[in-house]
Amino acid sequence: MPGFERTYTVRWADMDPNGHMRHSAYTDYAAQHRIEYLSEHGFTLPFFAKTGLGPILFREDTRFLKELHINEQLRVTGELSGLSEDGSRWNIIHTLYKPDGRPAATVAVEGAWLDLRARKLTVPPAEIAALMRDLPRHASYQDIIRETR
């Protein structure tokens, strides 16, 4: 399956006083990429509000490799680096690319699905679990083995 990618333009609001993209903007673009992936497949914010389900993060790790500057085109990809059998836990590595194709940063996230009403971790609907399985696999992919208590 071809990967899901998006291209954005680095905005004025993304800049820091040093003249390059501020550190938190990298994670903003990775988050936007995840939400667009879900939304493009029918899992929109109104869907999540209606079902009381939401994605949450446990960890986010950004590696900065090259500077990005205002008005540069920024290509973002996402690859699955881990998934539990039931789809309840997932890891994604986003790569943000400069216009010349060089990686500018990677954003690795570890997340899960939250029942927003019960405020507890939950298993997503089968369609969401299948969608997560459809993401391309990162070279570092490993199944997530859930502990049973």
Side-chain angles (χ1 to χ4, degrees):
M1 164 189 180
F4 181 80
E5 63 179 59
R6 286 288 185 261
T7 300
Y8 306 97
T9 301
V10 176
R11 307 166 308 153
W12 169 257
D14 298 328
M15 305 311 293
D16 71 11
N18 295 329
H20 55 75
M21 196 161 85
R22 63 185 164 74
H23 70 283
S24 56
Y26 291 81
T27 57
D28 291 342
Y29 282 110
Q32 182 66 28
H33 184 264
R34 290 190 301 278
I35 293 302
E36 287 183 17
Y37 178 69
L38 292 166
S39 183
E40 184 172 288
H41 293 89
F43 303 106
T44 61
L45 293 179
F47 167 85
F48 288 118
K50 180 180 175 186
T51 60
L53 179 70
I56 62 164
L57 294 183
F58 298 122
R59 188 175 78 81
E60 188 170 51
D61 179 53
T62 305
R63 306 292 169 153
F64 303 99
L65 306 168
K66 299 287 179 192
E67 290 182 308
L68 285 165
H69 302 281
I70 193 166
N71 295 327
E72 275 192 302
Q73 295 298 297
L74 162 67
R75 184 170 56 94
V76 182
T77 63
E79 296 174 294
L80 200 60
S81 59
L83 187 66
S84 63
E85 187 175 341
D86 63 5
S88 63
R89 304 240 179 172
W90 41 267
N91 300 338
I92 296 174
I93 297 178
H94 294 279
T95 304
L96 290 72
Y97 294 93
K98 290 183 67 62
D100 64 7
R102 292 181 297 162
T106 59
V107 179
V109 296
E110 295 177 4
W113 296 101
L114 183 70
D115 178 323
L116 298 171
R117 295 179 185 107
R119 307 308 290 179
K120 293 182 185 261
L121 296 180
T122 191
V123 175
E127 299 83 6
I128 291 178
L131 181 62
M132 297 301 284
R133 280 191 285 279
D134 283 346
L135 278 169
R137 304 273 167 118
H138 189 268
S140 66
Y141 179 89
Q142 292 184 358
D143 289 328
I144 298 172
I145 307 301
R146 291 191 50 203
E147 296 177 16
T148 55
R149 298 182 193 241

